[in-house]
Protein backbone atom coordinates (compact mmCIF):
# COMPACT_ATOMS: atom_id res chain seq x y z
CA UNK A 1 0.00 0.00 0.00
CA UNK A 2 2.81 2.42 0.85
CA UNK A 3 4.46 1.72 -2.51
CA UNK A 4 1.31 2.70 -4.38
CA UNK A 5 1.03 5.95 -2.41
CA UNK A 6 4.70 6.73 -3.09
CA UNK A 7 4.33 6.07 -6.81
CA UNK A 8 1.17 8.22 -6.91
CA UNK A 9 3.02 11.05 -5.10
CA UNK A 10 5.84 10.87 -7.63
CA UNK A 11 3.42 10.96 -10.55
CA UNK A 12 1.57 13.95 -9.08
CA UNK A 13 4.87 15.77 -8.49
CA UNK A 14 5.95 15.08 -12.09
CA UNK A 15 2.58 16.27 -13.44
CA UNK A 16 2.75 19.49 -11.39
CA UNK A 17 6.32 20.11 -12.56
CA UNK A 18 5.31 19.60 -16.18
CA UNK A 19 2.39 22.01 -15.77
CA UNK A 20 4.64 24.64 -14.16
CA UNK A 21 7.20 24.37 -16.95
CA UNK A 22 4.43 24.64 -19.56
CA UNK A 23 3.03 27.79 -17.93
CA UNK A 24 6.48 29.39 -17.67
CA UNK A 25 7.21 28.63 -21.34
CA UNK A 26 3.89 30.14 -22.39
CA UNK A 27 4.59 33.27 -20.32
CA UNK A 28 8.05 33.56 -21.87
CA UNK A 29 6.62 33.18 -25.39
CA UNK A 30 4.10 35.95 -24.71
CA UNK A 31 6.89 38.27 -23.51
CA UNK A 32 8.92 37.59 -26.64
CA UNK A 33 5.89 38.13 -28.90
CA UNK A 34 5.11 41.50 -27.28
CA UNK A 35 8.49 42.97 -28.32
CA UNK A 36 8.40 44.23 -31.89
CA UNK A 37 11.89 44.34 -33.27
CA UNK A 38 12.33 46.19 -36.54
CA UNK A 39 14.64 45.26 -39.37
CA UNK A 40 18.11 46.72 -39.35
CA UNK A 41 18.44 50.10 -40.98
CA UNK A 42 19.84 49.97 -44.49
CA UNK A 43 23.59 50.31 -44.44
CA UNK A 44 23.96 49.91 -40.68
CA UNK A 45 26.48 47.23 -39.87
CA UNK A 46 27.04 46.50 -43.55
CA UNK A 47 29.78 48.96 -44.37
CA UNK A 48 32.08 47.98 -47.14
CA UNK A 49 35.79 48.42 -46.95
CA UNK A 50 37.32 51.34 -48.80
CA UNK A 51 40.01 49.10 -50.25
CA UNK A 52 39.18 45.61 -51.39
CA UNK A 53 42.38 43.84 -50.45
CA UNK A 54 42.72 40.14 -50.95
CA UNK A 55 44.35 37.94 -48.37
CA UNK A 56 48.14 37.69 -48.74
CA UNK A 57 49.26 34.61 -50.62
CA UNK A 58 51.22 32.16 -48.51
CA UNK A 59 54.89 31.81 -49.43
CA UNK A 60 57.27 28.93 -48.87
CA UNK A 61 59.01 29.06 -45.49
CA UNK A 62 62.58 30.38 -45.55
CA UNK A 63 65.29 28.19 -44.06
CA UNK A 64 67.49 30.52 -41.97
CA UNK A 65 69.62 27.70 -40.54
CA UNK A 66 71.69 27.21 -43.71
CA UNK A 67 74.66 29.49 -44.11
CA UNK A 68 75.05 31.17 -47.45
CA UNK A 69 78.52 31.68 -48.98
Amino acid sequence: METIVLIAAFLIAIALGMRLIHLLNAQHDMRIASHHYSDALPGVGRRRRKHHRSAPTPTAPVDHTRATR
Side-chain angles (χ1 to χ4, degrees), residues 23-37:
L23 291 173
L24 289 174
N25 282 338
Q27 183 182 26
H28 182 69
D29 290 342
M30 285 189 300
R31 285 183 184 169
I32 290 174
S34 68
H35 287 46
H36 300 287
Y37 296 105

Side-chain angles (χ1 to χ4, degrees), residues 54-69:
S54 61
T57 57
T59 58
V62 178
D63 187 9
H64 294 288
T65 58
R66 301 180 76 189
T68 57
R69 295 183 193 205

Side-chain angles (χ1 to χ4, degrees), residues 2-25:
E2 292 177 14
T3 305
I4 295 173
V5 172
L6 183 63
I7 291 172
F10 276 132
L11 292 176
I12 291 172
I14 290 171
L16 289 175
M18 288 173 49
R19 179 70 178 154
L20 177 65
I21 290 171
H22 176 73
L23 291 173
L24 289 174
N25 282 338

